[in-house]
Amino acid sequence: MKTDMLVDVFMKPWSNVKPTAMNTETTLTFNMYVLLYTILAGLAILPLFLYLRNPYFTQDLRYTVTCILLGLRINRIKRSKPFYSMLDCFLDKVKKHPNKQFIVFEKSSYTYRDVDKQSNKLARALSQHASVKEGDTVALFMGNEPMYVFIWLALAKLGCRAALLNYNIRSKSLLHCFTCCGTNVLLAASGKSSPLTLVLPFTISLLIHVFVLGEEEEKCVTEGVNTLSSSRIQQASDQPLDPQLRSKVTLKSPALYIYTSGTTGLPKAAVITHERLYMASSMQAISGVVSDDVIYIYLPLYHTAGFIMGLTGAIERGSTVVLRRKFSASNFWDDCRKHKVTVIQYIGEIMRYLCNSPKKDNDRHHKVRLALGNGLRADTWSEFLQRFGDIRVCECYGATEGNVGFINYVGKVGAIGKEHFLHKANFSYVLIQYDTEREEPVKDSRGFCIKVPKGETGLLVAKITAQAPFSGYANNQQQTDRKKLRDVFVKGDLYFNSGDLLRIDHEGFVYFMDRIGDTFRWKGENVATTEVTEHLIMVECIEEANVYGVKVPGHEGRVGMAAIKLKDDMEFDSKTTLEHVKTSLPSYARPRFIRIQNSLAVTGTFKQIKVKLVEEGFNPSMMQDRLYYLEDSKGYIPMTQEMYHSISDGKIHL
């Protein structure tokens, strides 16, 4: 009834109008206005509707546009003849803004033109004095300094591959690293040459030429070591090199060898092709870094985070790099303020170190707007933002050699990424059920893997395709094959095994749960080391914790153990620790042994090392550190050798 009245009121002014040509036009105009108003009203309501359906619509839309534009650019690069490399990208930036600061290091500063000219000089010096030529592999054994960047660009101009060695490794690992990738020449910084002494007999027999970068030409007192002096380098021409020197290099050619951390054995040389290098360098673009940004790089350049996400990412953006030899918590924010840094990187425990540093009145006085990295725990994330201000944290996930990655472009605390339809269309990944006790994927009756439902933890695997290749490890087919899973869902398919246990919630956010080697099984239950670690560091006296499982004679699985570092001027509070683990962890997940160390061993990229700790187990005679045992009725008590024997003999039951 009310509807009929409204129609009468609305249509009455038009009821006496006779249908003339003019009136027909008026009617059409009226209908057009009605249609226009309807469309405008719909458009006005649409954002609200989309937001209610998806609270992250705005971020999803922005990410979609960024990915489309980036995808178009990468496709153009892939089709270009000759192919467009990261070196070409650098040379374009030299042409575009030659006088712009590229590298700021200590008291020195280098423009894009300066770096180009220095790399030209180095390329000629290496060609003339070290006989470096296209196709050679040259290993770099040096720390963070501008010369590192000059050399890499010089090698790229000569069509060579660079093997980025971890300068902390020694003897067997060092020898393994530069032989596994077929090194022809080894370049070492003047202060880094001493560790080479033990491996020189092998370099001579393998015909590997060793050069130490020095200020002046020196007579080599060590057989097999030559000096490439700065005077020789500066005497070389700084004019551009002939592109024909690298004419045989293709998109699929190796550009770099970057080594895994070696937390579980000898490092493996991951093959980074020119295609992979360019695509991985786009992470800064996806994260919102622009040409005007100043990025602070203190992570080692021998690692993916420092070199690709940091250095080559900055080249792709055409931004300025503030380079530091190594991380310093006490100088971090002073450097950021001094150089007007806008983008910082982090990895592993870096953010926790910053949060644990003494508070200052000017903690929020800086220009940093974006933090880019991986391995940030949720509790540290929140503490970091609360203390240092409104900094957008862009947590990422990916492996040096992997063929899939995630990025948390929304900024949700604790998540390592977010699913997106464009990402799914280009990378076929899935989480599958994994048996941590047998250390293998769970199979169905047909022998195929089983997908886990949303919200449950599973092993991340990604299909190996032309779009998502897995290049493997240099001269290590056995380890390459170990990272491949065959016949996952159908006969003949091939997937990359990430080795990581992840969880994807119903909103599409991705969470890191554990490494499959770190998760252990005790009392028939799976124990995630990351979860236990997060609870332990909530205890007032504990600053850091490294959780792992150790074997106990006569018991299935591994029992929980934790190496901890106490806060300064604090003693181990066994009572509080016991109360906390009993409140927050189930009985099977509580660390049965706690080992107190002055510092926890980490790799050069701040990843905790567990191998030696696992080997030493809970035997007091194997260590000098204080050791505590969780006795059910008494709590954490000092561990003795007699108690160790009683546990090993089965007299004390765990």
Side-chain angles (χ1 to χ4, degrees):
M1 182 65 180
K2 290 182 179 179
T3 304
D4 294 339
M5 290 175 65
L6 285 171
V7 172
D8 289 342
V9 170
F10 183 75
M11 295 302 295
K12 190 171 182 179
W14 304 90
S15 60
N16 296 323
V17 178
K18 296 181 180 179
T20 63
M22 185 66 181
N23 294 335
T24 302
E25 183 178 340
T26 304
T27 303
L28 289 172
T29 302
F30 169 77
N31 290 337
M32 287 177 63
Y33 275 119
V34 171
L35 179 61
L36 179 61
Y37 290 147
T38 304
I39 293 173
L40 290 174
L43 290 174
I45 297 173
L46 182 60
L48 176 62
F49 173 75
L50 292 172
Y51 176 79
L52 293 174
R53 294 263 311 194
N54 177 14
Y56 311 104
F57 169 73
T58 305
Q59 295 99 318
D60 286 342
L61 180 61
R62 188 184 301 118
Y63 181 76
T64 301
V65 173
T66 301
C67 287
I68 290 173
L69 294 175
L70 183 62
L72 291 172
R73 186 163 79 246
I74 290 176
N75 284 331
R76 283 197 302 271
I77 289 168
K78 287 182 177 181
R79 292 195 302 268
S80 63
K81 302 290 183 181
F83 88 99
Y84 189 84
S85 67
M86 186 52 63
L87 171 62
D88 295 311
C89 180
F90 168 76
L91 294 174
D92 280 351
K93 297 300 187 294
V94 174
K95 294 176 183 177
K96 185 176 180 181
H97 36 61
N99 298 317
K100 181 178 181 178
Q101 275 191 336
F102 175 29
I103 299 175
V104 178
F105 179 76
E106 295 177 350
K107 296 180 180 180
S108 303
S109 175
Y110 303 86
T111 65
Y112 273 83
R113 179 191 281 132
D114 293 336
V115 175
D116 182 38
K117 288 182 177 294
Q118 286 296 321
S119 62
N120 289 340
K121 286 175 176 286
L122 260 164
R124 286 189 168 87
L126 289 170
S127 178
Q128 181 180 350
H129 302 294
S131 302
V132 174
K133 61 186 182 303
E134 183 177 15
D136 283 350
T137 297
V138 179
L140 306 187
F141 193 74
M142 53 198 306
N144 284 13
E145 58 177 290
M147 182 61 77
Y148 202 112
V149 185
F150 303 161
I151 292 175
W152 167 65
L153 287 168
L155 294 175
K157 291 176 178 180
L158 293 172
C160 298
R161 308 159 181 179
L164 312 184
L165 301 182
N166 179 345
Y167 56 78
N168 295 301
I169 58 176
R170 299 291 185 267
S171 59
K172 183 180 177 181
S173 291
L174 176 58
L175 179 64
H176 166 78
C177 283
F178 62 71
T179 55
C180 72
C181 59
T183 298
N184 305 95
V185 176
L186 176 62
L187 295 177
S190 57
K192 303 290 184 185
S193 57
S194 56
L196 301 177
T197 307
L198 295 175
V199 298
L200 282 176
F202 299 98
T203 63
I204 295 171
S205 64
L206 294 169
L207 302 179
I208 297 173
H209 302 288
V210 180
F211 287 85
V212 175
L213 300 168
E215 288 298 321
E216 296 298 333
E217 201 68 38
E218 300 175 5
K219 184 178 180 181
C220 294
V221 295
T222 306
E223 183 185 0
V225 178
N226 306 288
T227 301
L228 185 61
S229 67
S230 56
S231 58
R232 278 192 176 184
I233 295 170
Q234 293 309 315
Q235 288 169 8
S237 170
D238 64 3
Q239 293 304 300
L241 280 80
D242 187 351
Q244 285 300 310
L245 291 171
R246 55 183 186 275
S247 60
K248 296 178 182 178
V249 178
T250 69
L251 196 66
K252 300 294 184 181
S253 298
L256 303 168
Y257 295 109
I258 296 182
Y259 297 82
T260 60
S261 300
T263 53
T264 57
L266 288 173
K268 302 182 288 292
V271 180
I272 309 297
T273 64
H274 284 276
E275 178 184 28
R276 174 69 188 277
L277 176 60
Y278 201 99
M279 292 183 68
S281 300
S282 302
M283 187 61 71
Q284 286 193 26
I286 296 174
S287 304
V289 178
V290 296
S291 179
D292 292 335
D293 277 316
V294 178
I295 183 169
Y296 186 44
I297 300 178
Y298 54 86
L299 296 172
L301 290 176
Y302 61 72
H303 188 260
T304 304
F307 194 92
I308 299 180
M309 290 181 66
L311 176 64
T312 59
I315 290 174
E316 195 278 332
R317 295 281 80 193
S319 51
T320 299
V321 169
V322 175
L323 185 64
R324 186 179 175 87
R325 291 188 187 274
K326 59 182 180 180
F327 170 73
S328 168
S330 59
N331 292 308
F332 188 93
W333 291 109
D334 289 338
D335 280 351
C336 289
R337 282 184 280 268
K338 178 181 177 181
H339 300 293
K340 299 180 180 178
V341 170
T342 57
V343 179
I344 60 174
Q345 281 188 282
Y346 65 87
I347 194 170
E349 294 294 298
I350 290 292
M351 295 298 218
R352 180 170 294 281
Y353 297 155
L354 292 176
C355 289
N356 287 339
S357 63
K359 292 185 177 181
K360 297 181 179 180
D361 293 337
N362 62 347
D363 277 344
R364 286 173 170 250
H365 297 165
H366 55 77
K367 293 184 179 296
V368 176
R369 66 175 187 85
L370 175 66
L372 177 65
N374 65 282
L376 181 57
R377 291 174 179 158
D379 60 326
T380 307
W381 191 328
S382 300
E383 185 181 352
F384 178 83
L385 294 179
Q386 184 177 8
R387 176 172 170 182
F388 297 108
D390 187 19
I391 299 172
R392 178 172 167 251
V393 176
C394 202
E395 174 82 357
C396 309
Y397 166 85
T400 300
E401 70 275 37
N403 66 339
V404 66
F406 299 100
I407 182 167
N408 182 356
Y409 56 86
V410 172
K412 184 168 184 178
V413 174
I416 62 170
K418 187 178 187 296
E419 289 193 304
H420 190 275
F421 72 92
L422 284 178
H423 191 244
K424 286 183 176 180
N426 287 282
F427 302 95
S428 180
Y429 61 87
V430 68
L431 303 186
I432 60 173
Q433 290 185 21
Y434 186 81
D435 189 326
T436 55
E437 189 170 13
R438 293 176 176 270
E439 296 188 340
E440 62 184 23
V442 177
K443 302 289 183 72
D444 62 17
S445 58
R446 299 172 300 161
F448 296 128
C449 295
I450 305 169
K451 296 180 183 180
V452 301
K454 289 278 187 181
E456 292 189 12
T457 299
L459 173 66
L460 172 68
V461 296
K463 194 169 187 179
I464 299 173
T465 64
Q467 180 79 8
F470 168 53
S471 300
Y473 307 107
N475 296 319
N476 196 333
Q477 193 59 48
Q478 182 182 10
Q479 291 293 339
T480 298
D481 289 340
R482 285 184 63 181
K483 296 296 288 184
K484 296 176 181 178
L485 287 179
R486 302 179 186 277
D487 305 330
V488 177
F489 296 113
V490 294
K491 285 289 184 183
D493 64 8
L494 188 62
Y495 280 72
F496 171 75
N497 179 359
S498 71
D500 291 327
L501 297 172
L502 308 182
R503 177 175 61 84
I504 302 176
D505 68 15
H506 294 279
E507 290 184 311
F509 286 100
V510 187
Y511 298 87
F512 178 83
M513 305 308 291
D514 225 333
R515 289 286 297 171
I516 57 175
D518 292 346
T519 296
F520 58 89
R521 197 168 178 83
W522 180 246
K523 301 292 185 182
E525 300 285 351
N526 292 330
V527 180
T529 59
T530 50
E531 181 187 0
V532 180
T533 299
E534 287 173 1
H535 284 295
L536 281 177
I537 58 179
M538 292 174 69
V539 179
E540 178 64 25
C541 64
I542 300 176
E543 182 171 308
E544 298 177 63
N546 187 358
V547 179
Y548 49 98
V550 293
K551 289 282 189 181
V552 180
H555 290 75
E556 292 292 330
R558 291 183 289 164
V559 68
M561 185 167 178
I564 65 170
K565 177 181 180 297
L566 299 174
K567 292 180 181 177
D568 292 341
D569 301 322
M570 294 195 76
E571 290 295 323
F572 179 56
D573 189 338
S574 59
K575 183 178 179 181
T576 302
T577 304
L578 174 64
E579 290 174 353
H580 185 78
V581 297
K582 286 182 70 175
T583 303
S584 56
L585 293 169
S587 58
Y588 60 83
R590 297 167 194 161
R592 208 64 195 244
F593 304 97
I594 288 183
R595 177 177 179 175
I596 300 177
Q597 297 187 298
N598 294 327
S599 62
L600 301 187
V602 294
T603 67
T605 50
F606 304 98
K607 294 179 181 177
Q608 293 178 333
I609 299 175
K610 302 176 187 283
V611 176
K612 188 177 180 182
L613 294 173
V614 172
E615 289 175 352
E616 292 174 347
F618 60 98
N619 187 347
S621 66
M622 296 287 289
M623 64 194 76
Q624 298 296 318
D625 305 322
R626 285 183 291 160
L627 189 62
Y628 288 83
Y629 164 66
L630 178 55
E631 211 280 334
D632 291 330
S633 60
K634 299 178 182 178
Y636 285 105
I637 59 176
M639 178 80 174
T640 65
Q641 195 66 37
E642 183 182 354
M643 291 167 62
Y644 169 77
H645 290 305
S646 295
I647 294 172
S648 299
D649 295 340
K651 296 176 182 177
I652 296 178
H653 299 283
L654 301 183

